[in-house]
């Protein structure tokens, strides 16, 4: 009974992540790579992603601190962040990162800085939702094969 | 999914990408297809692994990497006489100037990231054509 209720909770949490467009279908691709040898592949990837992306955000923050900033280096960091966000299905982070790249290209300093706040917020929201989701997923135990979002 | 047990016909792949996230995904994707694969972090490491005598049927090459990028590495591998199937895998649009330069460096295929099983199947068809 408890198992079913937990699984329902997990399914509901998962669905809301897609409904709110925090995640996209690339996350489902990662879930589908899971097998008996790597049953928590999506969680492992997300952990790697957060480690990688957090370092990139610190690099961007540091680069923006000292004007005039080097737009090429900044774009390099943002390109990496966009790439890894796309790979794990971190939809909102990817979208906000792209908007920041556009502001950077337009040489709009104020918009670049304000957009960076949105990138950080999207990243924090994602982390805040994925951690309890994976925690609950582990508690619920093995479930049916991953279902695509409705 | 093919899982060849014959050592002489088993496909070997090389993943060349500086992103640890993409390395893991591409490694697992290939593994799930039964394709043994090695992972390196930039173009220079891809060259070095070939200089050490290793041969690969398929190379998944990222474009933007430190030390040596995918365009330079592809050019150098072709100049070295490497005829393996090299598939460029990058987040650049297939229509961008950088991508055109990447293709002209000697790619057999180009797929936009993120790589999916369907895109990998499309790449694998190119490997078969080379045989």
């Amino acid at each position: 009974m408890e198992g079913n209720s937990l699984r329902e909770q997990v399914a509901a949490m998962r669905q809301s992540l897609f409904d709110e467009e925090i995640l996209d279908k690339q996350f489902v691709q990662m879930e589908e790579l899971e097998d008996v040898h790597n049953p928590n592949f999506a969680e492992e990837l997300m952990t790697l992603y957060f480690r990688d992306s957090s370092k990139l955000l610190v690099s961007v923050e540091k680069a923006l601190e000292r004007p005039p900033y080097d737009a090429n280096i900044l774009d390099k960091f943002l390109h990496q962040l966009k790439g890894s966000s796309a790979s794990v299905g971190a939809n909102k982070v990817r979208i906000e990162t792209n908007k920041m790249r556009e502001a950077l290209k337009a040489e709009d300093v104020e918009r670049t800085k304000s957009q960076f706040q949105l990138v950080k917020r999207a990243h924090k929201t994602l982390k805040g939702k994925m951690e309890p989701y994976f925690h609950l997923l582990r508690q619920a135990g093995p479930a049916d094969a991953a279902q695509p979002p409705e | 999914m093919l899982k060849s047990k014959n050592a002489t016909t088993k496909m070997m792949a090389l993943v060349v990408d500086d992103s640890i996230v993409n390395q893991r995904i591409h490694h697992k994707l290939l593994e799930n297809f039964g394709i043994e694969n090695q992972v390196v972090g930039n173009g220079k490491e891809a060259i070095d692994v070939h200089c050490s005598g290793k041969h690969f049927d398929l190379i998944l090459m990222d474009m933007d990497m430190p030390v040596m990028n995918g365009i330079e590495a592809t050019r150098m591998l072709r100049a070295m006489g490497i005829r393996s199937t090299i598939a460029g895998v990058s987040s650049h649009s297939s229509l961008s100037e950088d991508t055109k330069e990447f293709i002209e460096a000697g790619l057999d295929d180009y797929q936009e990231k993120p790589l999916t099983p369907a895109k990998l199947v499309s790449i694998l068809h190119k490997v078969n054509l080379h045989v």
Side-chain angles (χ1 to χ4, degrees), chain B residues 64-96:
Chain B
D64 298 312
M65 293 179 286
V67 186
M68 186 189 289
N69 66 34
I71 298 173
E72 292 160 8
T74 302
R75 246 183 231 135
M76 195 171 282
L77 286 171
R78 292 307 189 207
M80 283 162 64
I82 303 296
R83 295 285 158 254
S84 315
T85 301
I86 304 179
V89 183
S90 175
S91 45
H92 289 257
S93 145
S94 50
L95 302 169
S96 78

Side-chain angles (χ1 to χ4, degrees), chain A residues 120-136:
Chain A
K120 284 198 290 185
R121 192 165 81 185
H123 188 263
K124 191 176 178 189
T125 302
L126 178 68
K127 201 161 187 219
K129 292 196 181 243
M130 294 316 297
E131 279 169 0
Y133 168 71
F134 284 125
H135 180 73
L136 206 63

Side-chain angles (χ1 to χ4, degrees), chain A residues 8-18 129 132-134 136:
Chain A
E8 277 167 15
Q9 252 188 287
V10 167
M13 269 178 100
R14 187 177 168 278
Q15 190 55 48
S16 78
L17 288 165
F18 290 108
K129 292 196 181 243
Y133 168 71
F134 284 125
L136 206 63

Side-chain angles (χ1 to χ4, degrees), chain B residues 18 23 37 43 63-65 73 84 87 90 101 105 123 131:
Chain B
D18 63 327
Q23 283 179 4
N37 64 95
M63 195 195 299
D64 298 312
M65 293 179 286
S84 315
S90 175
E101 195 188 347
I123 291 171
V131 170

